[in-house]
Amino acid sequence: MTVPAELKAFVKAYNDTKKYPTLADLAAGLNLSHQTVRNKSSVYRARTRLDDTLPKLIDRKQVEVIAKRDEKTPEQHAHARALDLAQQIEVLTTSSNFPLINPSCIQVESFMTRKWDRDAFAYVPKESTPRTWLNATPLVAPIADPRGRRFIFTGAQNDTEVHKGFWTNLKAYAKAIGAEIAVGPGTYETQWWSENNPAARAYDPVLKDHLCFGQLEIGPSFMFCGQMNIIPTASKPIDDLIANSRGKWAVFPHSKRQLRSVPSTDPDVQAVQVMSTGLVTRPKVIPRKAGIKSLFHHVLGAVVVEFDQDGDVFCRHISASREGAFYDLDAYVTDGKVIRGKHRARALTTPDSHRAKMGPTNARAIWGWDPLTGKTAREILPEWKDRKSLVDVLNPEEMTYHDFFDNEYRNHHHADDPLHNYEQAFRGKDRVGDEAAEAFDFLIQTKRKGTKSVVIEANHDLALNRYVIEGRFRMDGINARLGNQLESDLLDRQEVIARCRDAYQKTPNWSLLETLGRRMRGAAMDGIYWAYDGKSYKIDGIEHGHHGFRGANGAKGTVLGFAKLGIKITIGDKHSPQIEDGVYVAGALELNHGYNKGPSSWAVACVVQYPDGKRAIITLQNGKFRG
């Protein structure tokens, strides 16, 4: 009878009592369970009884009796196992470009149980799997001075292959911008450190030098939390981690895209942001509800983090296509090549503008336009000779405006505030027509040739309607004539509505503010379009037509409420940048509007939509949008 080579090897190992004095040693050496070794030996012995030509297995009982005299105690075995696992963990966490500086924070302890021994007729100690603990936060050496440095942060799931196209493009882009790549590791369906499952510590080999198992602080205002190990199926990965940021910008590795603004304690100080990265690995989950949900939200992506020479930090998401290509500002990265200036952004959602409260710094950075003079920044500032605004860089096909008109002069919130009304009169800012004209001129002066300008009708725009409907213009002499004219416009509109209702016809779209603008500025308003209150306006399937103040079924608009619509939508209104499921929220152009006192989550932020439909929030710092 021919003996298979695999069986021959088993017999040879079984009979080698010097190398494998006990069955436990043999099982470990062959990478088999103790029971499998016993089963194999029993089957083979039965075969040898039928065929005397087969090599015989020795009687290990006699050998093991002798071996037991010198065998180490169960406690010693358990300690050796724990020590081996600890050494493997230390090598893993300290061998990349971002080594832990306190690997001893990961404690590996031996663990003993008790088992009933029939021969001894008593419980005897038995070694068990080592246990691992953290006694402190794993840390990577902090970077004290980040000025001029760039990083790309992403995440990776254990025992899962890297998306080769995205990884190739990510490395190419990192090289092009001089960035370091750090990958936050995470595990799924296993312990972080498992002795018996090597997959728990297995990551795609190409990531070896980039794994960051600890918390990396960069400068005084940023941290990457590579140690967090959030399960991929978490539906709100950063909701309960905001406090961990300790007032800093913080990035957490996770497959689902989420971003929150963390309020500062002073409305003049911009809020920091906490966000997740997306992953560089392909999804790999159990086909149950939680896993299938996570597949839907899985993002192949990363966060680009730049520090300028002032130390200001700029964080932007990049989201890759199925092939691994992605956009970042004016760059398109595909097939390992970085192409600049060859594409246009599909759309740019600018912050809630509030023209009456607009200062020069952020307006120059976004549009390259100065609200104090109505001229371009290049015309009035020598330092802008070779500088580009955000609109210059993105060259969007469409540009949307939210709350471009503030109605500060006669807002209903201040109708009974004598101090506010006195201030407006003292500043010579009490003519509603003047504020409207200034707002229309802002639209006219910032529109670009080849770019479609779209006003998303918002609550501050509609405040003009309320001013007229409530009849406040009647006791407001300086605005009485304009109020009468606008009231006539509203009455004409109501007649149109009445006729349509009687005829069971759809009411045509109309805006009081638009009507005033085209009356005041005529042909200069050509090329400026309105997305009317409560109506849909989609750009490549993504909803842009809602400002965000109206929710479903007459409720107040909230980010979570829009997330429940199950669609991709970009809104304004909240002044606090946020990403929640398919909802992206732009910020405000100015931080302090006078009425927002105390802690504030406001920030100066736009939302860009790229040609592939991916979006990113671009947050400005001190009049700059990139490092």
Side-chain angles (χ1 to χ4, degrees):
M1 183 181 294
T2 303
V3 181
E6 181 183 356
L7 198 53
K8 282 185 177 180
F10 174 77
V11 172
K12 183 179 179 181
Y14 189 94
N15 291 342
D16 190 349
T17 57
K18 186 174 181 181
K19 187 175 182 180
Y20 306 113
T22 69
L23 279 184
D25 297 322
L26 178 61
L30 298 180
N31 198 24
L32 299 172
S33 70
H34 188 278
Q35 187 60 45
T36 299
V37 170
R38 294 182 64 181
N39 291 342
K40 277 180 172 285
S41 65
S42 298
V43 172
Y44 186 76
R45 287 184 196 280
R47 292 181 64 178
T48 60
R49 285 194 291 270
L50 298 175
D51 188 348
D52 292 335
T53 64
L54 294 177
K56 299 294 189 289
L57 294 179
I58 65 171
D59 184 357
R60 273 187 163 265
K61 289 184 179 180
Q62 297 297 326
V63 177
E64 294 204 9
V65 167
I66 298 172
K68 280 182 179 294
R69 296 172 186 168
D70 301 317
E71 185 180 5
K72 296 185 182 298
T73 66
E75 290 82 359
Q76 289 173 319
H77 270 278
H79 178 73
R81 293 172 65 179
L83 183 62
D84 180 71
L85 179 58
Q87 290 171 344
Q88 292 183 49
I89 292 172
E90 183 167 355
V91 170
L92 179 65
T93 59
T94 59
S95 58
S96 74
N97 298 333
F98 304 94
L100 291 186
I101 59 175
N102 62 336
S104 61
C105 72
I106 304 171
Q107 296 288 306
V108 182
E109 298 177 352
S110 58
F111 184 65
M112 300 293 298
T113 61
R114 294 196 310 158
K115 180 181 179 181
W116 181 260
D117 188 299
R118 292 184 178 182
D119 295 332
F121 205 70
Y123 282 103
V124 295
K126 176 179 170 51
E127 63 182 285
S128 186
T129 305
R131 292 189 172 186
T132 57
W133 312 91
L134 283 179
N135 60 19
T137 300
L139 299 175
V140 175
I143 299 173
D145 186 2
R147 290 177 295 178
R149 298 186 65 171
R150 292 183 173 88
F151 300 85
I152 296 177
F153 295 104
T154 185
Q157 184 177 324
N158 70 309
D159 192 30
T160 307
E161 65 174 337
V162 157
H163 188 291
K164 292 180 176 58
F166 181 44
W167 180 243
T168 298
N169 292 329
L170 210 59
K171 289 194 298 181
Y173 193 49
K175 182 178 180 180
I177 66 175
E180 302 172 57
I181 300 177
V183 180
T187 57
Y188 180 63
E189 287 303 310
T190 181
Q191 298 177 38
W192 194 6
W193 319 110
S194 175
E195 180 201 27
N196 296 328
N197 184 3
R201 301 184 299 282
Y203 293 90
D204 196 305
V206 301
L207 302 176
K208 180 178 181 296
D209 293 335
H210 304 278
L211 293 174
C212 179
F213 284 92
Q215 178 177 289
L216 171 60
E217 295 193 6
I218 305 177
S221 59
F222 177 88
M223 66 169 64
F224 174 61
C225 300
Q227 81 287 0
M228 200 53 68
N229 192 20
I230 310 169
I231 190 168
T233 54
S235 60
K236 305 288 183 183
I238 65 173
D239 269 17
D240 57 350
L241 296 176
I242 292 175
N244 287 62
S245 69
R246 303 195 307 275
K248 299 182 179 184
W249 288 71
V251 173
F252 296 88
H254 193 264
S255 59
K256 184 177 180 180
R257 180 63 48 76
Q258 197 179 17
L259 181 148
R260 290 292 182 89
S261 293
V262 183
S264 68
T265 55
D266 188 327
D268 291 318
V269 177
Q270 179 155 275
V272 301
Q273 293 171 11
V274 174
M275 65 193 74
S276 57
T277 58
L279 298 187
V280 73
T281 49
R282 295 180 180 275
K284 184 179 180 181
V285 294
I286 292 175
R288 299 287 299 267
K289 177 182 177 182
I292 294 170
K293 279 175 57 181
S294 72
L295 288 177
F296 179 78
H297 293 289
H298 184 99
V299 174
L300 198 62
V303 176
V304 176
V305 178
E306 301 175 327
F307 295 87
D308 67 7
Q309 292 302 323
D310 297 323
D312 289 331
V313 59
F314 302 85
C315 300
R316 299 184 303 275
H317 282 114
I318 52 178
S319 303
S321 66
R322 291 182 179 179
E323 294 74 30
F326 62 84
Y327 293 87
D328 181 44
L329 296 180
D330 58 339
Y332 177 55
V333 190
T334 182
D335 297 327
K337 298 177 182 178
V338 180
I339 305 167
R340 292 192 178 276
K342 300 298 184 180
H343 74 273
R344 302 179 66 186
R346 184 66 183 90
L348 177 66
T349 300
T350 58
D352 286 14
S353 308
H354 299 280
R355 175 63 183 91
K357 295 182 172 72
M358 185 182 296
T361 302
N362 296 320
R364 292 169 184 167
I366 294 175
W367 295 283
W369 172 80
D370 181 67
L372 302 180
T373 62
K375 298 181 179 180
T376 65
R378 292 190 183 92
E379 291 179 288
I380 61 172
L381 299 172
E383 63 268 26
W384 270 82
K385 180 180 179 182
D386 300 314
R387 187 172 170 182
K388 289 186 176 182
S389 68
L390 181 60
V391 174
D392 291 329
V393 170
L394 296 177
N395 189 21
E397 296 179 32
E398 298 196 40
M399 181 164 53
T400 62
Y401 297 83
H402 288 256
D403 274 336
F404 81 99
F405 176 67
D406 185 76
N407 200 30
E408 180 188 44
Y409 294 8
R410 288 296 183 266
N411 195 285
H412 53 273
H413 291 297
H414 301 295
D416 299 319
D417 185 346
L419 294 179
H420 174 81
N421 293 332
Y422 172 75
E423 178 193 332
Q424 295 303 108
F426 181 82
R427 296 168 63 198
K429 295 181 178 293
D430 51 1
R431 293 179 180 269
V432 174
D434 289 349
E435 182 183 357
E438 188 178 59
F440 298 136
D441 289 340
F442 159 63
L443 295 179
I444 293 166
Q445 292 163 356
T446 57
K447 68 179 180 179
R448 299 289 183 102
K449 185 177 181 180
T451 296
K452 182 178 181 181
S453 294
V454 183
V455 173
I456 310 301
E457 193 164 29
N459 54 311
H460 279 260
D461 304 341
L462 296 172
L464 180 64
N465 298 49
R466 181 168 177 172
Y467 172 71
V468 177
I469 292 170
E470 291 178 351
R472 283 185 278 125
F473 67 90
R474 302 186 192 283
M475 301 299 292
D476 187 10
I478 203 167
N479 292 304
R481 189 175 294 277
L482 175 64
N484 282 318
Q485 187 180 47
L486 295 176
E487 184 181 45
S488 179
D489 291 331
L490 285 174
L491 292 173
D492 290 343
R493 167 64 176 175
Q494 208 62 36
E495 290 178 4
V496 171
I497 293 173
R499 293 191 189 99
C500 288
R501 286 178 175 171
D502 287 342
Y504 297 96
Q505 295 176 347
K506 182 180 178 180
T507 305
N509 295 324
W510 184 83
S511 164
L512 179 63
L513 189 61
E514 180 190 15
T515 300
L516 177 60
R518 300 198 185 282
R519 180 186 297 139
M520 294 180 74
R521 291 295 183 260
M525 292 286 287
D526 291 348
I528 298 172
Y529 301 85
W530 246 254
Y532 297 96
D533 175 37
K535 301 295 183 178
S536 174
Y537 182 79
K538 293 183 178 180
I539 301 176
D540 291 349
I542 298 178
E543 183 62 70
H544 284 261
H546 296 275
H547 175 55
F549 71 108
R550 295 194 192 279
N553 303 319
K556 181 180 179 180
T558 64
V559 176
L560 292 179
F562 283 110
K564 291 179 181 179
L565 297 180
I567 63 172
K568 293 180 179 180
I569 182 171
T570 300
I571 64 172
D573 183 58
K574 311 309 175 188
H575 295 188
S576 303
Q578 187 171 342
I579 300 174
E580 194 68 48
D581 294 335
V583 184
Y584 278 62
V585 186
L589 192 67
E590 300 297 333
L591 295 180
N592 198 334
H593 286 199
Y595 59 82
N596 57 315
K597 302 180 185 298
S600 172
S601 58
W602 292 12
V604 185
C606 304
V607 178
V608 59
Q609 181 175 321
Y610 293 114
D612 61 356
K614 309 297 185 184
R615 291 170 289 170
I617 291 178
I618 301 173
T619 303
L620 281 71
Q621 301 271 34
N622 299 315
K624 299 165 290 185
F625 60 88
R626 70 192 314 177

